Amino acid sequence: MGIVESATGGRSQRLPDGADARSSRPAAWPHEEWKLLSFYEKFEQCVALVLVALISLVIVSALYRLALKVLATLLEAADPTDPGVFQALFGMIMTLLIAMEFKHSILRVVARRDNIIQVKTVILIAILAISRKFIVLDTKHLVAADIAALSGALLALGCVYWLMRERDDRVQR
């Protein structure tokens, strides 16, 4: 537990380890903060914790399967630069990254840093998912309209993400 001097009034206050003095929320111990939550907010916290646990299980399982696949690829002397092998491996890696980003966004809700999942995070996850789709795209069955649609969606999401980041940067200044 550390002592932090308040920026508004110079009073010193004790904060739990890891608490941020710049936070807009008052620093409170977890059980004290839990008491202040409404029934629905407690329900949201419980749901978020269950989701984090389930997504963590999925991530661990997917990581285990990815490790087995990489080892099998290396032991079988398969060429990792073969487009099929490359697409399969990096598709699995991108899926793991998407799941981890999703879990991280839910953890922010559990830590009460955000009230809800942030739109910027959802857009980032969508960008990752479309990027993954480009990596695993089957070149033998390409349809120009599909590539154009994915490209347009990726461009639109990128523009929205950039605009939101610019807005957030302006607000922080």
Side-chain angles (χ1 to χ4, degrees):
M1 187 148 83
I3 298 176
V4 177
E5 194 163 317
S6 171
T8 60
R11 292 181 310 232
S12 296
Q13 57 178 309
R14 290 185 122 3
L15 296 178
D17 289 332
D20 187 359
R22 297 169 302 217
S23 173
S24 61
R25 295 182 184 275
W29 293 94
H31 66 279
E32 292 171 355
E33 187 174 330
W34 182 259
K35 291 178 190 176
L36 299 174
L37 296 178
S38 70
F39 174 76
Y40 186 74
E41 288 173 325
K42 290 176 183 175
F43 173 74
E44 280 182 337
Q45 289 291 301
C46 291
V47 168
L49 286 170
V50 169
L51 285 173
V52 166
L54 292 174
I55 292 170
S56 296
L57 288 173
V58 169
I59 290 171
V60 168
S61 173
L63 183 59
Y64 176 73
R65 289 177 179 264
L66 175 63
L68 289 178
K69 182 129 179 142
V70 168
L71 286 174
T73 301
L74 294 175
L75 293 175
E76 292 173 1
D79 184 11
T81 61
D82 175 50
V85 174
F86 179 84
Q87 286 176 328
L89 290 177
F90 278 90
M92 291 174 75
I93 291 169
M94 291 295 290
T95 301
L96 273 172
L97 290 174
I98 291 167
M100 289 187 327
E101 184 61 37
F102 186 59
K103 183 182 76 63
H104 177 73
S105 67
I106 294 172
L107 278 173
R108 289 184 59 84
V109 172
V110 170
R112 308 287 298 159
R113 288 189 214 130
D114 295 326
N115 290 332
I116 57 170
I117 303 293
Q118 299 296 305
V119 173
K120 206 161 85 170
T121 302
V122 173
I123 292 170
L124 179 62
I125 291 169
I127 289 171
L128 287 171
I130 293 174
S131 299
R132 179 198 174 279
K133 182 68 176 170
F134 273 115
I135 290 173
V136 299
L137 201 58
D138 187 7
T139 56
K140 294 180 180 115
H141 303 292
L142 281 179
V143 177
D146 290 345
I147 294 174
L150 286 171
S151 299
L154 190 58
L155 181 62
L157 287 168
C159 289
V160 169
Y161 187 82
W162 177 76
L163 287 170
M164 292 183 79
R165 194 190 72 207
E166 287 294 313
R167 181 204 61 192
D168 290 349
D169 287 350
R170 244 180 285 136
V171 168
Q172 287 177 357
R173 285 185 229 163

